[in-house]
Amino acid sequence: MTSSPPPRVCVIGAAGRMGRRIVAAAVEGGCLVGAAVERAGAAELGQDAGALAGGAPLGVTVESDLGAALKRCDVAIDFTHASAARANVDAAAKAGVALVLGTTGLEDAAKKSLAAAAKRIAIVHAANFSVGVNVLLETVAQLAKRLPDHDAEIVEVHHRKKTDAPSGTAQRLAEALAEARGVALAKAEVTGRAGQVGARSAKEIGVLAVRGGDVVGDHTVHFLGLGERIEVTHRATSRDTFAAGAVRAARWVTGRKPGLYDMRAVLGLDA
Ligand code: NAD
């Protein structure tokens, strides 16, 4: 049996908290780091991506020309910022390079670009690349169905530098709850309470964000009944769990037919 050659990965946002871990995970996972891209003006331009990630030099210099970088790669991994996602998705589609998109807080225009790009390239888009959270999504949906009268609320905690709220993962968990209960999330979601908000309605799904310190990412889904409650918590203690998942997704999506895939497909959870 012949095994396929390791994909050449373009890490977009290579100097970021996630980007550095992705460079390290790509090396660890036997991929080739083909390019490391940062925004124009970033302080890390010109530095070696491997050294920046705390490992051995890779001979790959952080650059800002995404179009040129994509030409040398089979797959791109983007963990940047919501404001950058649309242009990066368009660039990957134009270059015909498969994409793993982990950036959260996407605006509607970026979501539209994503759907259009998925007609030309294979894309894995997930709010969370950890195995645990993707299994948690199933568990939470099952609990929501089994406990229809329990109030469902989500509380997420992230480090002080996170710029979007609620987290993409909290949003995804809320979607899973809404879908399991057959309610429209746009109507059911409550993202903050202050003042005379009145009693909680049965269909509400509360999604609350706590920010501070260096917390990588905690999510608790509360099912609150009369005289009892269940709390299901996922705690990420290292970004390496997301980075390893993103690299796994990059291997999986390389050479796949165009489409928009999620982490469930990568992990084989749909089977
Ligand atoms: P960060 O701010 O530490 O890193 C982002 C990096 O992207 C920065 O170095 C920034 O300079 C760079 N960047 C911004 N615009 C760019 C552009 N146009 N081209 C190239 N580089 C650009 O942020 P982070 O903590 O690494 O998180 C990044 C994103 O990933 C956020 O949206 C976060 O919510 C998301 N995230 C997703 C998961 C997941 O599993 N899906 C896990 C963790 C974080």
Side-chain angles (χ1 to χ4, degrees), residues 40-65:
E44 298 83 0
L45 293 178
Q47 294 185 33
D48 184 274
L52 199 57
L58 293 172
V60 178
T61 304
V62 179
E63 63 188 305
S64 61
D65 187 341

Side-chain angles (χ1 to χ4, degrees), residues 11-20 37-40 42 44 63-64 66 78-85 87-88 101-105 126-130 158-159 161-164 167-169 216 239 241-243 246:
V11 182
I12 315 177
R17 280 176 290 265
M18 278 304 301
R20 292 175 196 228
V37 177
E38 259 297 328
R39 65 187 160 76
E44 298 83 0
E63 63 188 305
S64 61
L66 178 59
D78 179 305
F79 280 69
T80 57
H81 189 268
S83 61
N88 294 346
L101 181 65
T103 301
T104 59
N128 194 301
F129 281 87
S130 81
H158 281 84
H159 56 92
K161 291 189 172 157
K162 184 164 179 63
T163 55
D164 58 314
S167 72
T169 301
V216 172
R239 289 185 176 82
T241 188
F242 309 128

